[in-house]
Amino acid sequence: MQKLNAAIIGLGFVGRAHLEALRRLGINVRGILGSTPERTESAADSLQLPHAYSSLDELAADPSVQVVHLCTPNHLHFPEASQLLRAGKHVLSEKPLTMDSRESAALVSLAKQVNLVGGVAYNLRYYPLCQEARALIKRGTIGQVRLVHGSFLQDWLLYPTDWNWRLESKLGGELRAVSDIGTHWLDLMMWMTGSNVSELCADLATVLATRKRPKGRVETFQKAGAMETEEVLITTDDYASVLLRFENEAHGVLTVSQVSAGRKARLWFEIDGSEGSLAFDSETPNTLWIGRRDRASELLPKDPGLMSPETRGYAAYPGGHAEGYPDTFVQLFKDYYAYIAAGDFAAPRTFPTFETGHLELILCEAIIESSQKKSWIFVGE
Ligand code: SOE
């Protein structure tokens, strides 16, 4: 198999998660590019990386790098991915893939044209028990899927003094809670049930219409502290609820919020079928609830020995050894790099692709349109 080298753009919370996962897989990370030369150099030094790139041009021209991870704010994904694909690099982007579906459609066709592999970090699919839930649904364990409901709740933007670049629509896009965490949930549900959302009806709310923007830099999940601030108007969503209909006729509802005290990053879902139900909570990801009516419901532990043959490879540790958020990146990258190394780009893709990212942007735009029109919207190109 071809030996692949990586580089990472963006050194915040998630860029470091990518680095750690790549290191666990033994993938050589050639270097990083941060938002300023000082930040790049100090991070390259503290993280013991061989190279601090001075610009995107320099990184794009480095022949020793085959794959680039984009861990930058959303508005940069499109220009970065376009340049890197044209320079012959495979691109794995953080989500959302781009700012709108026009950009994501252009990336889908560019990646095809240059025959390179695009991936999007919908990493939550890679909780071992989410893989297992998908396998159980496929096998008919819960019968016909009828109801798909749940939420993704956080509290890190609860106070008007909490700050992050995602709050600003020019950096993060018109939507925030929906695109940042809601698209994880939607991706997971569509992937697990094998059925896309066909219609939706959304209610969005900006609970905090103004916030205090710090004059200095604040990392994701970091508190702004005593920094000097300025008051700014916020237009992106703190909260959304979306009624859903799926192509397989299942009904559903999603609630997302970044202002729910006590919920740190809680993705929860329940899928109710004609024979049973499945429920999962990402804050206790080592247990899957299997609901039954005529016998006792079960709690399936994350134990490769108890998982299906096709999913046990997604659990890196034996039963009783908890796995969590950082492990999901390892499993996603394992799939993505193995696919590139195998070299057959016509083969079916098991990881979230640029097409996945494009579909999520189409859904985001349908959610905006529905909330503006206060009506149901058909999801389509
Ligand atoms: C911030 O809301 C964030 O880091 C998201 O961007 C991630 O995708 C999510 O998994 C955790 O929260």
Side-chain angles (χ1 to χ4, degrees):
M1 271 212 288
Q2 191 199 348
K3 178 90 185 131
L4 297 162
N5 295 322
I8 301 174
I9 313 184
L11 306 167
F13 161 78
V14 90
R16 284 160 198 261
H18 281 233
L19 174 63
E20 183 188 296
L22 289 169
R23 282 182 162 164
R24 263 180 67 186
L25 289 168
I27 291 162
N28 184 20
V29 181
R30 294 276 310 141
I32 47 172
L33 172 62
S35 54
T36 64
E38 300 69 42
R39 276 175 54 79
T40 308
E41 270 155 38
S42 104
D45 189 41
S46 67
L47 297 166
Q48 305 216 359
L49 285 159
H51 197 68
Y53 293 101
S54 59
S55 66
L56 185 59
D57 288 345
E58 194 205 343
L59 166 46
D62 183 347
S64 72
V65 169
Q66 291 80 40
V67 183
V68 183
H69 291 235
L70 307 183
C71 301
T72 42
N74 307 343
H75 70 118
L76 297 172
H77 296 170
F78 177 68
E80 288 169 346
S82 308
Q83 180 169 348
L84 291 162
L85 287 168
R86 288 202 179 93
K89 314 292 183 204
H90 303 286
V91 174
L92 196 146
S93 174
E94 263 303 323
K95 32 56 43 183
L97 176 57
T98 55
M99 296 288 269
D100 58 43
S101 66
R102 193 186 45 82
E103 289 182 349
S104 55
L107 287 186
V108 168
S109 61
L110 178 57
K112 271 201 193 115
Q113 192 191 317
V114 295
N115 196 29
L116 290 162
V117 183
V120 183
Y122 283 113
N123 55 304
L124 305 187
R125 286 184 186 189
Y126 286 85
Y127 279 114
L129 289 176
C130 288
Q131 294 279 337
E132 182 65 14
R134 178 171 184 258
L136 293 175
I137 293 169
K138 257 191 162 170
R139 207 181 307 140
T141 305
I142 62 164
Q144 193 200 337
V145 169
R146 292 169 168 167
L147 309 176
V148 178
H149 47 112
S151 54
F152 197 156
L153 308 178
Q154 299 181 326
D155 71 1
W156 65 297
L157 296 173
L158 176 64
Y159 299 130
T161 46
D162 293 324
W163 189 258
N164 184 256
W165 58 262
R166 290 174 177 81
L167 290 155
E168 294 192 67
S169 55
K170 66 176 193 302
L171 306 183
E174 205 173 331
L175 290 177
R176 189 218 326 145
V178 168
S179 75
D180 185 38
I181 53 177
T183 61
H184 270 304
W185 190 95
L186 290 165
D187 173 62
L188 192 56
M189 294 312 113
M190 295 190 294
W191 171 78
M192 279 190 316
T193 62
S195 182
N196 286 348
V197 170
S198 53
E199 286 172 77
L200 56 83
C201 182
D203 176 39
L204 303 184
T206 304
V207 177
L208 297 170
T210 61
R211 288 180 182 259
K212 296 187 188 313
R213 176 168 54 200
K215 295 207 167 144
R217 189 189 171 89
V218 184
E219 289 297 339
T220 300
F221 293 113
Q222 195 193 344
K223 296 207 167 47
M227 260 182 236
E228 205 188 323
T229 60
E230 58 192 338
E231 180 120 326
V232 289
L233 277 178
I234 301 295
T235 56
T236 53
D237 48 307
D238 289 312
Y239 158 89
S241 280
V242 190
L243 289 172
L244 304 161
R245 294 222 185 109
F246 291 79
E247 282 166 353
N248 65 358
E249 309 214 321
H251 295 253
V253 59
L254 160 68
T255 294
V256 289
S257 154
Q258 294 183 311
V259 292
S260 294
R263 299 302 186 194
K264 302 302 169 188
R266 183 184 190 256
L267 177 145
W268 179 81
F269 67 77
E270 180 167 321
I271 300 179
D272 301 328
S274 52
E275 309 289 330
S277 305
L278 297 173
F280 173 84
D281 175 349
S282 68
E283 290 188 347
T284 53
N286 289 274
T287 311
L288 179 70
W289 181 79
I290 306 177
R292 296 289 181 198
R293 191 172 97 155
D294 298 324
R295 57 188 160 100
S297 299
E298 295 163 54
L299 284 180
L300 175 70
K302 184 229 53 143
D303 177 347
L306 299 174
M307 290 166 63
S308 307
E310 67 271 32
T311 66
R312 59 178 64 128
Y314 291 103
Y317 287 88
H321 299 75
E323 289 178 65
Y325 180 76
D327 302 271
T328 61
F329 288 102
V330 176
Q331 299 301 337
L332 164 56
F333 299 166
K334 202 168 77 183
D335 264 6
Y336 178 71
Y337 279 82
Y339 184 87
I340 298 174
D344 174 10
F345 300 164
R349 302 180 180 197
T350 50
F351 53 88
T353 60
F354 276 7
E355 282 80 358
T356 313
H358 177 52
L359 173 60
E360 290 295 334
L361 281 146
I362 291 173
L363 284 170
C364 285
E365 287 165 5
I367 287 172
I368 296 172
E369 188 184 343
S370 166
S371 81
Q372 285 168 349
K373 293 187 173 156
K374 296 187 191 299
S375 68
W376 282 87
I377 298 290
F378 285 101
V379 180
E381 282 277 357

